[in-house]
Amino acid sequence: MTATAVVHPSLAVVKYWGKQDTGVNLPATSSLAISLRAFHTRTSVNGRTNGDPDEDEIVVNDQVQDLARFRPVIDGVRSRAAQPGIVRVTSTNNFPTAAGLASSSSGLAALTLALDGYFGTRFTPDELSAVARLGSGSAARAVFGGFTEWRAGAASASRLAEADNWPDLRILIAVVRTEKKSVSSREAMRNSRATSPYYENWVDSSATLFDEARSALLARDLERLGSCMRRSYLRMFSTMFTSDPPLIYWLPQSLAIIRCCDTLRSRGIGVWETMDAGPQVKMVLLEHDLPAAREALLQNVAGIELIESSVGGDPVVHVEN
Ligand code: PMV
């Protein structure tokens, strides 16, 4: 039997950055996210038929992975299976892995959904989200498509709105560098929390930002949402810049793109940027502004690739006997 899940990554417009003391990957801040249709992870789960029959195997983009990170998710689903067994997992991304493009969100969500299909465990959406979270916090959101929210301290995320709730919303992804990042988001978050003098302020101030962004998103008010997005990622990065040792994921092109968005907005073109744990810049805008945004970015910033996306739908799971 093979179970396959295809899942889009979850781009946060209001960021999860920092964990609470108790539990695994329980967020210190509430986050709000959009699913990216242009990118996906495809993950298949089979029974293991070759190699060590007592050990699970995970292969991502043709590379065998260290199991440690995936074990809580595999065991979390398997512990509820009527017929537990050893699995072989293969996974591919149609976009760069571990480069700040949210591959861990779609990767761990796809693993959870494919395992649930394979073992026939029929988890509820809440349970799927909570198990995916054990592998990567942002994966708690990626088990849903469309627009999602994940409240501070919550064990699972939930859907805020369907993908077609904002049909002309687009995400323009500027890929600046595709190399794997040298510091994981897990490590960077821990360091921000432990050493940045601004961390408490970040957590305290993100609650009102979340509420404002949530109501802007539901009202499809891009200007209000965009303004919250900027405050969220810049405050998040402020905790990284002020960590010890400081962490600067940005590259010169990242800053050039931020400035270009600023210029576009001053010309009345609503392009609102955000960044995650990496140098790539993701911009949220309306479909009719895509040509102007693309042209300005390609003219002003050398060596970037631009990928357009609409809002992604729900994950798809297939089980074949
Ligand atoms: O869950 P992780 O370890 O992939 O961390 C996600 C952190 C950010 O992408 C920077 C923010 C977010 O909310 O997705």
Side-chain angles (χ1 to χ4, degrees), residues 10 12 14-17 19 31 69 104-105 136-139 141 185-186 189 236 275-277:
S10 168
V14 172
K15 305 296 181 185
Y16 147 56
W17 192 255
K19 302 180 204 296
S31 56
R69 171 157 200 205
S104 65
S105 69
S136 167
S138 54
R141 299 186 311 243
S185 48
R186 184 170 295 201
M189 264 182 218
M236 173 183 80
M275 292 178 68
D276 294 286

Side-chain angles (χ1 to χ4, degrees), residues 23-72:
V24 178
N25 291 346
L26 291 177
T29 58
S30 299
S31 56
L32 194 67
I34 304 177
S35 168
L36 296 179
R37 184 181 294 274
F39 294 160
H40 65 254
T41 298
R42 176 184 297 272
T43 298
S44 293
V45 174
N46 299 96
R48 183 139 197 210
T49 51
N50 60 352
D52 183 346
D54 298 323
E55 184 80 310
D56 301 311
E57 185 179 57
I58 298 216
V59 180
V60 177
N61 294 334
D62 295 325
Q63 287 187 323
V64 177
Q65 305 290 305
D66 179 359
L67 276 175
R69 171 157 200 205
F70 305 97
R71 203 163 263 138

